[in-house]
Amino acid sequence: VDCQVSDMKVSGNTARYKFVCTGEMQMTSDNTITFVPDGYHMQSKMTMNTGGQTMNMNHNSQAKYLGACKK
């Protein structure tokens, strides 16, 4: 699978970009990630095509910094 990031635009604490995969399993994803003081919020809108079937998916995620790893 050949995947690449393109159309990266950063403004303040927000980045927008596309993630595109070609080949047998084709996928395009439009992503927005906003960095906040203790983590980030991310939204993705994906379209996948495999075997002639198209699947659309919206994905939202958040991350929170909990502290340094314990050794």
Side-chain angles (χ1 to χ4, degrees):
V1 177
D2 183 24
C3 300
Q4 293 185 341
V5 173
S6 65
D7 298 332
M8 174 74 79
K9 293 179 177 71
V10 178
S11 178
N13 65 335
T14 300
R16 290 179 173 80
Y17 62 96
K18 290 183 186 280
F19 189 71
V20 178
C21 297
T22 58
E24 189 174 323
M25 186 187 296
Q26 299 173 9
M27 188 269 299
T28 301
S29 177
D30 290 313
N31 306 284
T32 301
I33 185 166
T34 302
F35 297 96
V36 294
D38 63 347
Y40 67 83
H41 301 219
M42 184 174 178
Q43 297 175 322
S44 297
K45 293 182 180 181
M46 294 176 252
T47 300
M48 301 168 78
N49 188 335
T50 182
Q53 301 275 341
T54 300
M55 178 173 61
N56 295 308
M57 180 171 36
N58 292 326
H59 176 81
N60 295 307
S61 60
Q62 295 182 26
K64 182 175 182 180
Y65 179 72
L66 300 176
C69 295
K70 296 178 183 176
K71 294 182 181 185

